[in-house]
Amino acid sequence: MATSDWYPFSEGFSFTSQLLGILGKLNLLFLTLLVLCPQLVLAQWNATIGAQSDDLGRQALAFLPNEIWIHTGESITWTMAANEGHTVTFLTSGQIRPPFTAECPGFSAPSASFDGSACVTSGLLFQGDKFTVVFPVAGNFKLVCLVHEGMTGTIHVLDPSQPLPHDQAFYDHEAQRESADFLEAELAGVMNHQHHSENSAIAGHGETIATGGGSDSLSVMRFSDPGITVHAGDTIEWTNDDPTTTHTITFGPEPQDLVNPSSNVTVDADGARHAVLNSPLDAVHSGFIQAAPLDRTGLAQVPSGVTRFRVTFSKPGIYPYICSLHDVLGMKGSVIVLP
Ligand SMILES: [Cu+2]
């Protein structure tokens, strides 16, 4: 019994050494192929989403860079660099853009591969979050953020026989340069309200910039005069000067429904929303204050946006308020009402 036990062992030993020999040859063959055809190495590309100032007030709503050339079968990993939430989303051609809460029907995040046939989205990402998408087929694919209109990019997926124009170092440099440009840009009209009447404030300012791959925006998520002082009976007018970003002016607790104004808001003849506060304990919510979307041929006409909110203060006191969407970024203010 003892001898018969030895044979299977030595047969197994010989089989293992043969297998190791074959694997070694395959390894050598693979390395040789890599030297001859370096494009066999599937690159893993990296990009950044968003950039922000130290006080979080300036937010670059941008894929950095927003145009990347890769080969079929390769993947891109996006890393979030901002506190403002974004999504990495590829819709199919002709698909109606869904709200970010709806995401892509039937899509589950771990299998993020986009060939143009089915919608792929990351869900809402915050600082430090990552999302990787593999691109198995050639094509030019539009990248969007479902939260921010006008935050778009393009991924050019080429056949491996085609040369790629840039390497990862180029994209890293582009991303750094673009985010620095955004955060240092002097924005025309920011925090100065010459074109507004007295007792007025800007509730957010933004600019959209086009690139060859799509568009990026810079949003200043601040109230222009966070400590405005008026007298009892005065009215303050807030205007949202941002082409794409929505803000609110909210006194008192945040309501459940952020989209619509609270029931104590009326509409002035010029379309601006208006409320009267009689005590610092009163609550009022402007609802979404935002510009109308850009016009596009072939789409139904939409009305002008509601970009203004007015509040009349009848009694002295200190009235703190927030933007209910961006208070976490520090978008807060207060009105000091003197007798
Ligand atoms: Cu806001």
Side-chain angles (χ1 to χ4, degrees), residues 36-334:
L36 296 174
C37 321
Q39 67 268 36
L40 283 179
V41 187
L42 293 181
Q44 157 69 66
W45 301 84
N46 293 296
T48 305
I49 316 168
Q52 62 192 9
S53 57
D54 291 341
D55 70 353
L56 313 183
R58 281 173 165 243
Q59 292 283 333
L61 311 176
F63 296 104
L64 300 166
N66 75 353
E67 191 171 25
I68 302 177
W69 285 257
I70 66 169
H71 281 142
T72 54
E74 295 181 342
S75 63
I76 304 176
T77 297
W78 281 271
T79 303
M80 274 285 290
N83 290 49
E84 172 76 352
H86 299 290
T87 74
V88 171
T89 306
F90 293 89
L91 302 178
T92 59
S93 184
Q95 181 179 354
I96 303 290
R97 180 185 167 98
F100 77 88
T101 46
E103 302 188 353
C104 291
F107 169 75
S108 72
S111 59
S113 173
F114 186 72
D115 62 7
S117 67
C119 171
V120 161
T121 192
S122 64
L124 200 54
L125 301 173
F126 291 101
Q127 190 162 35
D129 289 348
K130 290 176 187 291
F131 189 68
T132 300
V133 181
V134 180
F135 298 87
V137 302
N140 299 295
F141 301 116
K142 185 179 181 184
L143 164 63
V144 301
C145 166
L146 290 182
V147 183
H148 301 102
E149 291 167 22
M151 177 172 165
T152 68
T154 303
I155 309 303
H156 305 282
V157 183
L158 310 183
D159 185 86
S161 61
Q162 303 287 315
L164 296 180
H166 307 297
D167 60 9
Q168 182 66 53
F170 172 86
Y171 293 125
D172 291 347
H173 183 260
E174 277 295 281
Q176 267 178 2
R177 188 187 58 75
E178 285 173 21
S179 67
D181 282 357
F182 265 120
L183 300 176
E184 286 159 16
E186 280 297 320
L187 292 187
V190 185
M191 302 313 160
N192 98 39
H193 29 114
Q194 317 163 340
H195 62 296
H196 293 280
S197 55
E198 215 184 324
N199 290 351
S200 70
I202 294 170
H205 178 89
E207 289 180 2
T208 300
I209 298 135
T211 73
S215 59
D216 302 328
S217 297
L218 175 63
S219 277
V220 181
M221 309 240 185
R222 285 292 182 269
F223 295 108
S224 63
D225 190 352
I228 194 165
T229 302
V230 295
H231 290 275
D234 284 351
T235 298
I236 297 179
E237 177 184 88
W238 284 268
T239 304
N240 181 354
D241 273 353
D242 193 304
T244 55
T245 303
T246 302
H247 298 290
T248 79
I249 297 98
T250 307
F251 291 83
E254 282 186 50
Q256 289 276 318
D257 174 8
L258 295 181
V259 180
N260 294 300
S262 52
S263 59
N264 52 344
V265 172
T266 56
V267 179
D268 286 346
D270 64 359
R273 292 180 187 158
H274 198 154
V276 177
L277 289 182
N278 296 309
S279 150
L281 299 176
D282 281 359
V284 71
H285 175 67
S286 64
F288 279 7
I289 298 296
Q290 63 190 120
L294 279 177
D295 280 3
R296 262 175 58 197
T297 302
L299 291 185
Q301 179 68 288
V302 292
S304 294
V306 177
T307 55
R308 295 205 166 89
F309 184 57
R310 300 179 183 129
V311 178
T312 303
F313 297 88
S314 66
K315 299 280 189 321
I318 297 173
Y319 295 75
Y321 64 95
I322 61 169
C323 167
S324 57
L325 299 172
H326 304 114
D327 51 329
V328 290
L329 302 177
M331 190 165 177
K332 300 172 179 186
S334 59

